[in-house]
Amino acid sequence: MNKDRKISAPVIRRLPRYYRFLGELIDKNIQRISSRELSDKMGLTASQIRQDLNCFGGFGQQGYGYSVKGLHDEIGHILGLDNRYKAILLGAGNLGKAMAVHLSFEKIGFRLIGIFDNDPNKVGIKINDLTVMNEDDLERFCQENHPDAAIFCVPKSSAPELLEKLYKLGIRNYWNFSHYDLAFEHDDIIVENVHLNDSLMVLCYKISDKNGQKEN
Amino acid sequence: MNKDRKISAPVIRRLPRYYRFLGELIDKNIQRISSRELSDKMGLTASQIRQDLNCFGGFGQQGYGYSVKGLHDEIGHILGLDNRYKAILLGAGNLGKAMAVHLSFEKIGFRLIGIFDNDPNKVGIKINDLTVMNEDDLERFCQENHPDAAIFCVPKSSAPELLEKLYKLGIRNYWNFSHYDLAFEHDDIIVENVHLNDSLMVLCYKISDKNGQKEN
């Protein structure tokens, strides 16, 4: 891919969906797919698919479709999934534990190298092959291991202080579940927010909309 | 709002963000906001904001901005957050527990009325004020309580069988963390999927993109 070419934010948001769907095709031993089949499955128009894929080279051949494996690997490469960014997890509560246990970090560009909590009852617990450390150890750990990213599974109230600590320790990339606006104080950090409430609200809308249609 | 007017999917996706941001303004006692201020905060153009808000009535007055509370309440109403849809949670592992404990269902249109798991070690555990039930009790429970929605915090492998069971019991609305394509077999169900991997891949892209720019 030409690194100088800027990919727009909506296309970037769609890349993981392409990647996921193409991975399922590989599991089913499907080797080629047309833009029409891809579009049916993705809920996009065929022309939008072609436009998206043209952004980074265009793997299609007229009348012949796309190479599933070629496209999958290229999208993985564009997403940077062949990296092993070192991530630390802040918060070993239910959510933090769920992330540490269920996500296959290695498959999506990261390696989880440390888990921290300030609750003495959680420090020392083993999650996968990592032992939960005290937040007091953050400074030493970061100076020794230089993590690239931090995963914030902490309550909103703990987020500001923790952010300042990690910012001073040089961490500029955050995956944020805390509902606190991490980017507010620092415009040189990268934040990807997860707002689970938003998703549930959309479900609420869809149910209400369907019920409303029935009533009409 | 005119119920006959169809709101487009991208606008619907943005509504929870408006709602969240306006809620924060209310907490700060801010009563009016201009479309330019809203757009700065939301990362959209002012004209897009006006277009979005015109979809459902238009609360702005020229040169006077929007009523924060009026807009917040109207968006909540459009999202259907004043409902109390009865939801059951499938899976009382770390992720299920995190959802049950951290989400304020009542504030976003739902009421959690039951939690189920098939692991005997989890059945009987109390989460908030609910006792985890055995999945064998699903039929009786659904016939007595008629849940509106199911939250799938189960592994992909358990999802197909569980879906068939709940579908037969009349449940048509799903919040899905399972990575299984629930809508594949049934086109009369509403599914809102949460793909946490996708979000982490976007973070990976952003880090790689930044690093690439540095290298260039």
Side-chain angles (χ1 to χ4, degrees):
Chain A
M1 184 191 55
N2 182 350
K3 274 198 175 181
D4 297 332
R5 197 185 294 173
K6 210 66 195 155
I7 304 179
S8 76
V11 178
I12 293 161
R13 294 261 149 223
R14 281 198 287 272
L15 289 182
R17 281 177 61 207
Y18 283 115
Y19 187 77
R20 190 155 30 84
F21 175 58
L22 292 164
E24 285 167 17
L25 294 182
I26 290 174
D27 290 344
K28 290 176 193 157
N29 276 316
I30 295 171
Q31 294 178 5
R32 301 200 76 84
I33 187 165
S34 70
S35 48
R36 204 174 58 80
E37 286 168 296
L38 250 179
S39 67
D40 280 355
K41 195 67 192 180
M42 301 269 305
L44 299 165
T45 65
S47 104
Q48 201 167 10
I49 297 265
R50 279 190 298 269
Q51 248 174 37
D52 280 6
L53 302 190
N54 276 336
C55 275
F56 39 88
F59 278 71
Q61 275 176 271
Q62 192 70 39
Y64 202 67
Y66 293 96
S67 152
V68 169
K69 174 99 176 45
L71 202 50
H72 179 264
D73 291 354
E74 178 66 12
I75 291 176
H77 180 67
I78 292 167
L79 284 167
L81 306 187
D82 27 19
N83 286 290
R84 289 291 169 275
Y85 295 121
K86 288 179 275 181
I88 55 173
L89 170 66
L90 288 305
N94 292 312
L95 188 62
K97 258 191 275 178
M99 294 307 115
V101 171
H102 297 303
L103 289 179
S104 306
F105 288 96
E106 264 85 4
K107 288 188 186 164
I108 48 180
F110 291 89
R111 192 154 57 88
L112 189 61
I113 61 165
I115 305 175
F116 296 85
D117 205 294
N118 59 6
D119 176 355
N121 293 318
K122 297 209 178 90
V123 173
I125 287 176
K126 271 225 160 198
I127 300 179
N128 292 349
D129 55 345
L130 295 170
T131 304
V132 177
M133 290 173 270
N134 195 304
E135 277 181 22
D136 295 341
D137 290 335
L138 264 173
E139 191 169 340
R140 178 197 55 75
F141 184 89
C142 290
Q143 282 160 354
E144 286 173 9
N145 297 284
H146 308 286
D148 301 292
I151 304 170
F152 261 52
C153 290
V154 296
K156 192 173 181 174
S157 54
S158 327
E161 198 185 329
L162 203 49
L163 171 66
E164 284 319 304
K165 204 168 181 176
L166 294 172
Y167 186 86
K168 276 186 199 136
L169 291 167
I171 301 185
R172 294 291 179 271
N173 306 303
Y174 296 87
W175 197 30
N176 180 29
F177 288 81
S178 78
H179 299 298
Y180 176 73
D181 181 0
L182 296 183
F184 186 70
E185 297 269 351
H186 302 286
D187 57 8
D188 61 339
I189 65 175
I190 289 178
V191 184
E192 173 69 16
N193 292 301
V194 180
H195 290 291
L196 294 171
N197 275 349
D198 287 15
S199 168
L200 193 54
M201 286 189 213
V202 171
L203 179 64
C204 185
Y205 173 83
K206 289 177 180 172
I207 301 175
S208 306
D209 189 46
K210 184 177 64 172
N211 291 353
Q213 280 169 5
K214 269 189 212 151
E215 283 159 22
N216 281 348
Chain B
M1 184 192 57
N2 182 350
K3 275 199 176 181
D4 297 331
R5 196 186 296 174
K6 209 68 194 155
I7 304 180
S8 76
V11 178
I12 293 161
R13 293 261 149 224
R14 281 198 287 272
L15 289 181
R17 281 176 61 206
Y18 284 116
Y19 187 78
R20 191 154 32 82
F21 175 59
L22 292 163
E24 284 167 17
L25 294 181
I26 290 175
D27 290 345
K28 290 176 193 157
N29 275 319
I30 295 171
Q31 292 177 5
R32 303 198 75 86
I33 187 163
S34 69
S35 48
R36 206 174 57 79
E37 284 167 297
L38 249 179
S39 67
D40 280 354
K41 195 69 193 177
M42 302 269 305
L44 299 165
T45 66
S47 106
Q48 201 167 10
I49 297 265
R50 278 191 296 269
Q51 248 174 35
D52 280 6
L53 303 189
N54 275 337
C55 276
F56 38 88
F59 277 71
Q61 273 176 274
Q62 191 70 40
Y64 202 67
Y66 294 95
S67 153
V68 169
K69 174 102 175 50
L71 201 50
H72 179 264
D73 291 354
E74 178 65 11
I75 291 176
H77 180 66
I78 292 167
L79 284 167
L81 306 187
D82 27 20
N83 285 291
R84 288 291 169 274
Y85 295 121
K86 288 179 276 184
I88 56 173
L89 170 66
L90 287 306
N94 292 313
L95 187 63
K97 257 191 275 179
M99 295 306 116
V101 170
H102 297 302
L103 289 179
S104 306
F105 288 97
E106 266 83 5
K107 288 188 186 163
I108 47 178
F110 291 89
R111 193 154 58 88
L112 188 61
I113 62 166
I115 304 176
F116 296 86
D117 205 295
N118 60 5
D119 176 354
N121 293 319
K122 298 210 177 91
V123 173
I125 288 174
K126 272 224 158 198
I127 300 178
N128 291 351
D129 54 347
L130 294 170
T131 305
V132 178
M133 289 174 271
N134 194 303
E135 276 181 22
D136 296 341
D137 290 334
L138 265 173
E139 190 169 339
R140 178 198 54 74
F141 185 89
C142 289
Q143 282 160 356
E144 285 173 8
N145 297 286
H146 308 285
D148 301 293
I151 303 169
F152 261 52
C153 289
V154 297
K156 193 174 181 175
S157 55
S158 328
E161 198 184 330
L162 202 51
L163 172 65
E164 285 318 305
K165 204 169 180 175
L166 294 173
Y167 187 85
K168 279 189 196 130
L169 292 167
I171 301 184
R172 294 291 180 271
N173 307 303
Y174 295 86
W175 197 30
N176 182 28
F177 289 79
S178 78
H179 298 296
Y180 175 74
D181 181 1
L182 296 183
F184 186 70
E185 299 268 352
H186 303 287
D187 56 8
D188 61 339
I189 65 175
I190 289 176
V191 184
E192 174 69 15
N193 292 302
V194 181
H195 290 291
L196 294 171
N197 275 349
D198 288 15
S199 168
L200 192 54
M201 286 189 214
V202 170
L203 179 64
C204 184
Y205 172 84
K206 290 177 180 171
I207 300 175
S208 305
D209 189 45
K210 185 178 63 173
N211 291 354
Q213 280 169 3
K214 268 189 216 155
E215 285 159 21
N216 283 348

